[in-house]
Amino acid sequence: MDKLRKVLSNQENRDNDSSTGILPNVNQMSTLEWSTRIKGFIACFVIGILFSLMGATALVLPLKRRMAVFGIFYTLGNITSLLSTCFLMGPVKQIKKMFSSSRIIATIVALAMIVLTLVAAIGMKNAPLTFLCIIFQFLALTWYSLSYIPYAREAIKSSMSTIMA
């Protein structure tokens, strides 16, 4: 557990890191205790799940509003769940990891699908387009999440190529 705490809070590299500037200073000033980070992560993640569940209950609304409300709450749940990981690593490190070379495309696609879902649900009020965006948002966030598991993407790619062949 101590090793995980050191990696997530970037204590492993602090001895070797002599960088100066505003970001390391802000990151150092805003550090939280490990127990506070865990509590923040759990609270934010649970709120994200609750938003998603609220979206699921919106599926009983009249047809015209159903997909818009579901899309909004589902997306808010995903955003909140993504933000919950900032408690574990810190916002600066999380953004750096999100936009690293191995996952920049997955991050951009996932963020674009989040925005497009909200535009389709709120701006356009187009239920079929909202539903399509929700599906693509789910797939994009799944692909993004798999980038944090070593060799998971490669395993999925090889499985899919085997199935398709």
Side-chain angles (χ1 to χ4, degrees):
M1 189 66 153
D2 288 335
K3 177 74 173 163
L4 177 65
R5 181 183 311 160
K6 286 180 181 180
V7 168
L8 289 175
S9 64
N10 204 18
Q11 290 176 353
E12 251 185 357
N13 297 329
R14 281 193 183 157
D15 297 334
N16 300 335
D17 188 19
S18 62
S19 62
T20 58
I22 193 166
L23 289 181
N25 291 336
V26 168
N27 202 23
Q28 187 175 12
M29 289 187 308
S30 66
T31 56
L32 299 172
E33 294 291 323
W34 182 249
S35 63
T36 307
R37 287 177 181 252
I38 295 295
K39 290 173 189 172
F41 166 75
I42 291 170
C44 218
F45 194 76
V46 167
I47 290 169
I49 291 172
L50 289 175
F51 275 142
S52 296
L53 289 175
M54 288 170 58
T57 60
L59 292 175
V60 298
L61 292 174
L63 184 61
K64 198 162 191 103
R65 298 184 58 201
R66 180 181 309 170
M67 286 312 299
V69 174
F70 175 68
I72 292 166
F73 278 110
Y74 179 77
T75 302
L76 286 176
N78 283 336
I79 291 169
T80 309
S81 295
L82 277 174
L83 290 176
S84 70
T85 59
C86 288
F87 281 100
L88 295 178
M89 289 187 244
V92 174
K93 189 173 181 184
Q94 176 66 24
I95 290 171
K96 284 181 181 178
K97 283 189 172 240
M98 285 176 73
F99 290 97
S100 70
S101 61
S102 64
R103 61 181 65 95
I104 189 165
I105 294 172
T107 300
I108 291 171
V109 171
L111 294 176
M113 292 317 304
I114 286 172
V115 170
L116 288 175
T117 303
L118 291 175
V119 167
I122 298 170
M124 300 172 68
K125 295 179 172 63
N126 186 332
L129 184 59
T130 302
F131 182 69
L132 188 64
C133 287
I134 288 169
I135 291 171
F136 285 131
Q137 182 183 147
F138 173 79
L139 293 173
L141 286 170
T142 301
W143 192 251
Y144 165 78
S145 299
L146 287 174
S147 71
Y148 286 95
I149 302 169
Y151 305 108
R153 287 180 175 180
E154 288 79 14
I156 298 293
K157 285 179 190 176
S158 66
S159 298
M160 293 306 288
S161 64
T162 304
I163 291 171
M164 296 297 176

